[in-house]
Amino acid sequence: MVGLAAIGVNRYLVRTQDSLVQESLPAIALTSRIDASTQLVGSLASTFVQAGSREDVEKTAAALERAVVSIEDGVRALVAMTPGPAAHPPQSQARDIVARMTVNAQEELALADRIAARAAEVAQDGVLLEDLIEAETDLARLRITAGIADLYAAPDAAPRPALDALADRYFFAFERLTELARMVDAVRLQFQQVPAMATRQDVDAAHDTLAAGLDLALRRVGFLSSPLVTQEAASLLNRQQAAIGPGGLTELSHDRIVLQASIAQDGVRLQNVIADLSDRARQARDAVQADGLARIAAAKQRSSVMLFGLLLVVAVAVTTAALLTLYARKKVIGRLGNLSRRIIAVAGGTSGEPIPISGHDEIGRMEKALNILRRRASDALRLRDSLEEAVIARTGDVVREMQASDKARAEAEAANRSKTEFLARMSHEIRTPLNGIIGMLDLLETEVQDSDRKARTRTALNSARDLLDITNDVLNFASNEDRTNRDNPVHFRLRELVGQMGHQLQSLAAQKGLDAVVDLSETAPPALFGDVVKIRQIVGNLMSNAVKYTRSGTVMLLVEHAIDDRSGQPVLSFVVADTGIGMSPEAIAHAFDAYARADSAKRAGIEGLGLGLAISRSLTEALGGVLSVESQAGVGSRFTLTVPLEIGDPALAAQEEERALQADLSREVLVIDDHAVNLMVARGYLERLGCRVSEAETGTAGLKLSRERHFDLALIDLDLPDMRGEEVAAQMAQDGAVPILVALTAHLIDDTPENRERLGFSRILAKPISPRALAEVLGAGGPATLPPENAMVLDSLRADIADLGMQATAQIVQAFRDDLPHAIDTLLSTPAEARPKAAHKLKGAASNFRLDQLCAALARVEKAGADADAAVMEDVERLAIEAMRILETAAAQAGLQTAPGSTK
């Protein structure tokens, strides 16, 4: 009874609180939205006067109208929530004010254009007038000089009359012209100041000054010596007088100031109207909250009454429990004590006489059960002898269960093998079309001449290669070969990477009518060294999410640059910002969880499983970077990827390394592949290298061609429709028709000496085919045979130099040279059972430099284990010395200085 009463009280209180919360929260949210829109209106209203173009005015007006509509709708919703009789929704003239401000702003811009044009005309007239007056002033000065010269030329004549005439005529005219020049210059300067005046008083004062100056200038024009010049100067002055007349520069400036004042006044009126609406919203919110507080008080009063009733129920329950305790002590506890003593006796092996039945209640039934137990205890003594037979029977059951477990384990292993076969097939099926895509795009890039199309082709080619790298990582991860995100750093050009991501962002944004902004820091280095595939994948996920969760507005990609104080290396920040739906603090806390999506995204029907950010966080950790988020619901989100990188070499950028070599090798090549696209790609690469290509779609057809003609090289797909590629290679090797056999495969098979020997090929090339690998196999610039081991070591060192730089490669070679003698001594002196591990370790180091003969000998030691004989160990020691010589020679040819103290 007490529990049921407590449950009822609690359910009532919980429902009451939930109801109050559900009614109050929308009012608070609406008020917050109205306050935010009110602040936005204030900032937008001040920008009307500052708008520099019609587009700016239209954008500002549209944003202002949306904010006003949002405020009016919010106020209506709050008024509707107000308790009591239905209130009339507030009426405002905000939209009319916005429309008037828009019209005035457009007119003000038009006046500004007219003022600028008129000011330019007046300025041009002023320049022409000054040039005329300056020429006339120079002429008057020349006349004065000539008069003075005449006085000196006639020394006997009386000078007084000539001096009087010179002063009355030429000096007076020169003084008037000088005064006219000053006045014209003052008028020109005053005209220049009129467009920038901000008050009507300043314009009126300038008008009066200009009128007086122009009037005086017209009076002084008569002192010009030439009638034609006088007429032209008077015409220019009259045109300047027209500039201060009706429709002139001063009147246009006066009208513009009036329009600006009107816009400012409308801005103040708009803010007052919005402030009034905001006050109405707060009053409605206060009314809703007051009603909620009143309901809370009523709920508290009702809960007090319920609690008092609950206390009465508790008191009744305690009284009833006391009475039941007295009854139990008298009628139950004594009988139970007697029963417990008999139970202890039976447990001790003393059966005794049956216990008397003291009643027909539960205790009586327990007494009957105890008598039955007493009888069964004696029966148990008789059954003890049969325990061994029961144990034997149970042992048989356990054996059968173990057999069933073995069967289930065998089925699980079979299922695992099926999964492995499925992944192998998926590797082939995915990588085969990717081979065609990458090959065709690579060939298309060299054929396209238009720069824009070439850039788009290169972007698609880089994306396809990144997709291949991602596919390899996914397949390795799914097949349990590699559970970590491997770091694959390359040299890349930052501007090209940002340009490609910018193209991707603009393409995504254009589909939804969004504005796309891409900005790259000017201080960022041109080339960097890092895992560009992971960076592109992370930023691509962030840009895709930004566009997906943004209905209108802008999506931005900002690339910022800084220097790490500790390492001195660059640190890049890729910022992806949007004006979308945003996230709440609760959604931000789970933003990077797998399958976690914000409730607003689910309600909006936005597709996706919520894996993108989880994958991006994992990739960011593999890069050693940081992925952070800032977001606000209804405002937008800002994701920042911060990645530490190294300065790269522009000459070693990734897109330059994969370009096909241009050479004329003149080789006869046979390509055996059942995929048409693969044949087209191989033919395109080989013909670009100057080779003559023959094709076969089956192993049988390829064998027939090899017996009919001579070929320098055969490229054989491992998965042919009629036979395995290994079988074709074995038959060709037996016939001796083709000297170089190269395997093509879409499976993840490394080009190691062990795999070559197992499959029977000279080289193993993974799809998609690399033009550089083909040129290396064909021996670009050398004979049409596989390069010897020293050439392979040289190619390996050059590739390391391209990836790591000269200094790092020299340090790696020097470390291997210093460690090799010690490693061989350890291998020869270590116990037999530990040799496989030592051989495997040394083989991994030697394979980095393509020392294949030494690797093959170490593989034999690893395979033989403790049974490796002395001859095998002597072979390893001999090949190690030869490997040291080959490595030193290749290092010298590659330009590496590995001696102590080298600076390279």
Side-chain angles (χ1 to χ4, degrees):
M1 292 172 62
V2 173
L4 291 175
I7 291 173
V9 172
N10 286 334
R11 286 177 62 84
Y12 171 78
L13 293 177
V14 168
R15 289 181 177 178
T16 302
Q17 294 296 332
D18 288 343
S19 176
L20 293 175
V21 169
Q22 294 298 327
E23 293 178 3
S24 300
L25 283 180
I28 297 174
L30 282 173
T31 304
S32 300
R33 192 187 76 185
I34 292 172
D35 291 338
S37 298
T38 301
Q39 296 177 0
L40 180 61
V41 168
S43 62
L44 290 176
S46 62
T47 60
F48 263 97
V49 180
Q50 304 172 0
S53 64
R54 296 182 181 274
E55 290 77 12
D56 294 339
V57 171
E58 292 174 357
K59 290 181 180 179
T60 304
L64 190 58
E65 185 172 0
R66 287 195 297 269
V68 168
V69 171
S70 176
I71 293 172
E72 292 178 348
D73 294 342
V75 172
R76 292 191 186 93
L78 280 173
V79 170
M81 295 179 186
T82 304
H88 293 288
Q91 300 294 329
S92 69
Q93 297 79 31
R95 299 187 191 181
D96 297 335
I97 296 174
V98 171
R100 188 166 59 250
M101 291 175 68
T102 304
V103 173
N104 290 339
Q106 297 286 6
E107 293 180 1
E108 193 270 339
L109 288 175
L111 279 177
D113 295 338
R114 294 176 60 189
I115 289 172
R118 196 63 184 270
E121 295 175 358
V122 172
Q124 182 64 30
D125 292 342
V127 171
L128 295 175
L129 187 60
E130 286 182 349
D131 292 339
L132 289 175
I133 295 173
E134 183 178 0
E136 286 295 312
T137 304
D138 293 338
L139 181 59
R141 186 183 295 109
L142 181 61
R143 289 172 178 171
I144 293 172
T145 303
I148 295 173
D150 292 338
L151 289 176
Y152 281 99
D156 298 333
R160 183 74 181 183
L163 288 174
D164 292 339
L166 185 65
D168 293 337
R169 183 178 180 183
Y170 295 114
F171 276 108
F172 181 79
F174 178 80
E175 183 179 359
R176 300 285 80 77
L177 290 177
T178 303
E179 182 181 3
L180 177 61
R182 289 196 302 270
M183 183 59 61
V184 168
D185 185 67
V187 168
R188 182 180 60 82
L189 294 177
Q190 187 67 48
F191 269 120
Q192 291 178 355
Q193 297 174 0
V194 169
M197 292 180 180
T199 62
R200 297 174 59 183
Q201 292 77 7
D202 292 343
V203 174
D204 294 337
H207 180 274
D208 296 338
T209 302
L210 289 170
L214 290 172
D215 182 68
L216 180 59
L218 285 172
R219 291 198 301 272
R220 295 293 185 267
V221 167
F223 291 96
L224 296 173
S225 60
S226 171
L228 182 62
V229 172
T230 301
Q231 182 180 0
E232 185 176 358
S235 175
L236 292 174
L237 288 174
N238 289 330
R239 288 169 61 180
Q240 289 191 339
Q241 273 191 329
I244 61 174
L249 183 63
T250 55
E251 183 172 321
L252 292 176
S253 299
H254 182 274
D255 294 341
R256 183 186 181 189
I257 293 172
V258 171
L259 281 176
Q260 290 177 343
S262 176
I263 293 172
Q265 292 174 359
D266 285 340
V268 174
R269 294 190 188 97
L270 179 62
Q271 293 183 10
N272 292 336
V273 171
I274 296 302
D276 180 66
L277 290 175
S278 180
D279 291 339
R280 290 288 302 273
R282 284 191 286 271
Q283 292 173 4
R285 180 200 61 190
D286 294 340
V288 173
Q289 292 180 344
D291 180 69
L293 293 175
R295 294 176 61 184
I296 290 173
K300 287 182 178 179
Q301 183 176 3
R302 287 191 291 271
S303 63
S304 299
V305 174
M306 292 181 180
L307 290 175
F308 179 78
L310 182 60
L311 291 176
L312 291 179
V313 173
V314 171
V316 172
V318 170
T319 302
T320 304
L323 295 176
L324 292 175
T325 301
L326 294 176
Y327 174 81
R329 187 176 298 277
K330 181 177 180 181
K331 296 292 185 179
V332 177
I333 295 177
R335 297 166 63 193
L336 289 175
N338 183 39
L339 180 61
S340 65
R341 288 190 291 273
R342 295 300 297 270
I343 291 174
I344 293 172
V346 171
T350 304
S351 299
E353 296 296 329
I355 184 173
I357 304 302
S358 60
H360 299 286
D361 52 2
E362 286 79 8
I363 298 177
R365 288 194 290 272
M366 291 177 66
E367 291 169 344
K368 293 180 181 179
L370 182 58
N371 288 332
I372 296 173
L373 179 62
R374 184 185 59 81
R375 290 194 303 270
R376 291 184 177 178
S378 60
D379 296 337
L381 294 176
R382 294 191 301 271
L383 294 175
R384 185 179 301 172
D385 295 336
S386 62
L387 179 60
E388 184 176 357
E389 296 178 1
V391 171
I392 294 173
R394 179 56 183 158
T395 302
D397 295 337
V398 172
V399 170
R400 287 189 292 273
E401 291 176 0
M402 292 177 63
Q403 293 174 347
S405 177
D406 291 340
K407 181 179 179 182
R409 182 170 61 254
E411 293 175 353
E413 292 175 352
N416 188 49
R417 287 193 297 272
S418 299
K419 184 197 75 171
T420 303
E421 294 174 359
F422 170 77
L423 289 174
R425 176 54 58 185
M426 284 298 296
S427 171
H428 181 271
E429 295 301 327
I430 293 175
R431 290 164 60 85
T432 296
L434 278 178
N435 172 48
I437 295 172
I438 294 174
M440 288 302 179
L441 288 175
D442 195 4
L443 295 173
L444 182 61
E445 182 186 3
T446 61
E447 297 172 359
V448 172
Q449 301 300 325
D450 182 72
S451 58
D452 291 337
R453 294 184 179 180
K454 184 179 287 291
R456 289 194 290 269
T457 304
R458 186 178 300 114
T459 300
L461 178 59
N462 291 334
S463 299
R465 286 172 176 160
D466 293 342
L467 177 59
L468 176 63
D469 292 338
I470 294 169
T471 302
N472 291 338
D473 289 342
V474 169
L475 292 173
N476 286 335
F477 182 87
S479 60
N480 293 322
E481 292 178 8
D482 185 5
R483 283 296 185 185
T484 61
N485 283 308
R486 296 173 297 175
D487 194 14
N488 298 309
V490 296
H491 295 269
F492 65 96
R493 301 180 188 273
L494 179 60
R495 184 169 296 278
E496 292 185 5
L497 171 63
V498 175
Q500 294 165 8
M501 293 189 298
H503 289 164
Q504 180 183 356
L505 179 62
Q506 291 171 356
S507 176
L508 293 173
Q511 297 175 5
K512 297 184 66 175
L514 305 177
D515 294 331
V517 177
V518 181
D519 185 23
L520 172 62
S521 173
E522 296 181 355
T523 61
L528 294 169
F529 181 72
D531 195 336
V532 68
V533 174
K534 291 186 177 64
I535 293 175
R536 185 182 283 109
Q537 186 177 358
I538 296 169
V539 178
N541 279 338
L542 298 180
M543 293 190 302
S544 176
N545 283 347
V547 174
K548 182 189 301 182
Y549 292 100
T550 302
R551 294 189 179 92
S552 61
T554 305
V555 289
M556 295 179 289
L557 171 60
L558 311 177
V559 183
E560 301 171 351
H561 165 256
I563 299 297
D564 190 345
D565 296 335
R566 293 176 297 178
S567 65
Q569 293 293 338
V571 177
L572 286 188
S573 294
F574 296 84
V575 180
V576 178
D578 61 69
T579 58
I581 61 177
M583 293 185 290
S584 64
E586 294 79 11
I588 293 175
H590 300 283
F592 297 101
D593 295 341
Y595 304 103
R597 302 177 66 218
D599 292 336
S600 58
K602 296 176 182 177
R603 290 194 299 267
I606 297 175
E607 299 179 355
L609 298 175
L611 286 174
L613 290 180
I615 295 174
S616 298
R617 170 63 63 86
S618 176
L619 294 174
T620 302
E621 293 174 354
L623 291 173
V626 177
L627 183 59
S628 60
V629 57
E630 302 173 28
S631 183
Q632 183 177 352
V635 177
S637 302
R638 181 186 179 93
F639 287 82
T640 302
L641 169 65
T642 303
V643 184
L645 298 169
E646 298 179 10
I647 294 295
D649 188 351
L652 302 178
Q655 70 271 19
E656 299 296 337
E657 295 182 31
E658 285 301 324
R659 293 190 182 276
L661 298 176
Q662 300 294 334
D664 187 7
L665 301 180
S666 298
R667 306 286 189 263
E668 293 288 344
V669 182
L670 172 61
V671 181
I672 306 176
D673 198 313
D674 62 328
H675 199 285
V677 176
N678 291 341
L679 290 173
M680 293 174 64
V681 172
R683 174 179 287 276
Y685 285 156
L686 291 168
E687 289 180 349
R688 194 164 62 186
L689 292 171
C691 297
R692 293 175 293 277
V693 183
S694 298
E695 299 175 351
E697 296 183 356
T698 63
T700 303
L703 289 172
K704 181 180 179 182
L705 283 175
S706 67
R707 290 164 183 161
E708 295 174 353
R709 297 173 53 189
H710 169 73
F711 293 97
D712 299 317
L713 174 71
L715 301 176
I716 306 172
D717 185 21
L718 293 182
D719 296 301
L720 294 173
D722 56 341
M723 64 177 67
R724 294 291 301 169
E726 300 93 311
E727 299 174 6
V728 178
Q731 187 63 44
M732 286 186 177
Q734 183 178 355
D735 297 339
V738 182
I740 303 175
L741 301 176
V742 179
L744 297 179
T745 178
H747 300 291
L748 300 179
I749 301 177
D750 293 332
D751 185 17
T752 62
E754 295 83 0
N755 288 335
R756 296 177 193 168
E757 183 177 359
R758 176 175 59 85
L759 297 175
F761 286 93
S762 301
R763 289 289 298 274
I764 300 174
L765 298 183
K767 296 179 181 179
I769 306 171
S770 169
R772 289 183 59 195
L774 281 177
E776 178 187 347
V777 170
L778 289 166
T785 60
L786 275 177
E789 187 173 11
N790 57 349
M792 298 172 67
V793 173
L794 179 59
D795 291 342
S796 174
L797 292 180
R798 287 174 176 170
D800 290 341
I801 292 172
D803 291 337
L804 306 177
M806 188 73 75
Q807 182 176 359
T809 304
Q811 292 175 354
I812 294 173
V813 172
Q814 184 64 40
F816 179 76
R817 288 180 52 194
D818 295 342
D819 184 65
L820 183 58
H822 175 71
I824 293 297
D825 292 341
T826 302
L827 179 63
L828 296 176
S829 60
T830 191
E833 59 274 9
R835 286 178 183 171
K837 184 176 181 180
H840 178 76
K841 180 179 179 181
L842 181 56
K843 184 184 70 173
S847 63
N848 293 326
F849 303 100
R850 302 293 297 276
L851 299 170
D852 292 346
Q853 294 184 12
L854 178 59
C855 290
L858 292 171
R860 290 194 293 271
V861 175
E862 184 180 4
K863 183 176 181 181
D867 298 331
D869 54 17
V872 175
M873 302 306 296
E874 291 177 359
D875 194 27
V876 169
E877 186 175 9
R878 177 183 60 81
L879 291 174
I881 298 174
E882 180 66 17
M884 179 73 76
R885 182 191 63 79
I886 293 174
L887 184 59
E888 290 176 350
T889 303
Q893 293 176 352
L896 295 176
Q897 294 184 6
T898 57
S902 172
T903 60
K904 281 194 177 181

